[in-house]
Amino acid sequence: MSPSATSGAPVPTRRRGSALEAAIFEAVLDQLASVGYARLTMDGVAAAAHTGKAALYRRWPSKEDLVLATVRHVLPTPDAIVLTGDLRLDLLAVLGCVQRTVNSTHGSVLQMAAVDSGADCQSLIGDLVMGPCERRILEVLEAGAAHGEVRPAAVSPLVAEIGPAMVLRRSMVDGSPVPDPYLVSVVDDVLLALCRVGR
C-alpha cells in the first residue's frame, strides 16, 4: 500500500458542473480585483480556481466571454422581485436591486470591469439590472396609477429612470456603499413626491 493511501490525508475531489463554474467565477472576481481586467488571463483564472485551462475554454472561448459570464452570474435579477401592491415598499424593493448591485463585495470590481472591458460589460449591466429595474418601476407606477395613488402623467419611462440613475450616480461619485437612508430618501423625497396624487 502506498504511503499516501495510509497517511489519512484527504484525497482531493475533482469539481464538476455548477461547483466548478462557481469556483471559476469567484476566481475571475478575485483576479479582477487583484490584477485588473487588462492583465487578467485564462491561465491566471485557471490557477486561482485550481483547475485546468481546458475547463475554461470548453465553456468560454475567450477572456471576454468568461468575464461577461461572471458578470451575469453575480448580478441580481430584478424580474424575480415579487411586488406587493404597496407603492412605497415596491419602489424600495426594486431600487434595492440596484443598491445590491453596487454595494455587493464585487460591486467595485464590476464597475472596474465595465470601464476596462468597454461597452460589452457596461451594456450587460444595463441589460440585466438597470433596464429591468426601470421596467419594474414603471410597472409599479402603472399599478399605483390604477389604484389612484400615482398621477397618470408620472407614469413614464423618464420618471422610471430617476431612481436607478440616482443610486448609480451616488455609488460612482462617492465610491462607497449606497446606504439604506439614501435609498429611502430617493423613494420618499423624490419619487413619491413627484408621483403621488395631490403633490
Side-chain angles (χ1 to χ4, degrees), residues 170-196:
R170 171 67 182 256
S171 172
M172 294 178 69
V173 171
D174 287 2
S176 59
V178 175
D180 290 340
Y182 180 79
L183 200 72
V184 171
S185 180
V186 169
V187 170
D188 290 345
D189 301 333
V190 179
L191 294 180
L192 292 181
L194 176 65
C195 297
R196 270 187 168 157

Side-chain angles (χ1 to χ4, degrees), residues 71-82 93-94 96-98 100-101 127-130 132-133 135-136:
V71 172
R72 287 191 188 94
H73 176 73
V74 300
L75 289 178
T77 52
D79 288 337
I81 298 171
V82 178
V94 177
C97 198
V98 181
R100 287 193 301 278
T101 299
D127 290 345
L128 295 184
V129 177
M130 301 301 287
C133 279
R135 290 194 295 272
R136 296 308 303 273

Side-chain angles (χ1 to χ4, degrees), residues 58-167:
R58 279 196 298 270
R59 294 165 171 81
W60 307 282
S62 68
K63 175 178 86 169
E64 292 75 15
D65 292 314
L66 174 56
V67 171
L68 291 176
T70 302
V71 172
R72 287 191 188 94
H73 176 73
V74 300
L75 289 178
T77 52
D79 288 337
I81 298 171
V82 178
L83 301 178
T84 66
D86 182 298
L87 178 63
R88 182 176 183 272
L89 290 180
D90 287 346
L91 288 172
L92 284 170
V94 177
L95 280 185
C97 198
V98 181
Q99 182 192 34
R100 287 193 301 278
T101 299
V102 299
N103 283 7
S104 72
T105 55
H106 306 307
S108 59
V109 172
L110 294 179
Q111 289 182 26
M112 178 180 65
V115 171
D116 289 350
S117 64
D120 286 346
C121 194
Q122 293 180 35
S123 63
L124 186 66
I125 293 173
D127 290 345
L128 295 184
V129 177
M130 301 301 287
C133 279
E134 291 166 10
R135 290 194 295 272
R136 296 308 303 273
I137 290 174
L138 191 59
E139 183 181 341
V140 172
L141 296 177
E142 288 170 346
H147 295 140
E149 295 180 84
V150 172
R151 297 183 300 107
V155 183
S156 76
L158 183 61
V159 173
E161 293 175 3
I162 293 173
M166 290 183 67
V167 174

Side-chain angles (χ1 to χ4, degrees), residues 25-40 45 67 70 105-113 116:
F25 291 145
E26 192 62 34
V28 170
L29 292 166
D30 289 343
Q31 290 291 293
L32 283 171
S34 60
V35 303
Y37 178 84
R39 295 176 60 192
L40 181 145
V45 171
V67 171
T70 302
T105 55
H106 306 307
S108 59
V109 172
L110 294 179
Q111 289 182 26
M112 178 180 65
D116 289 350

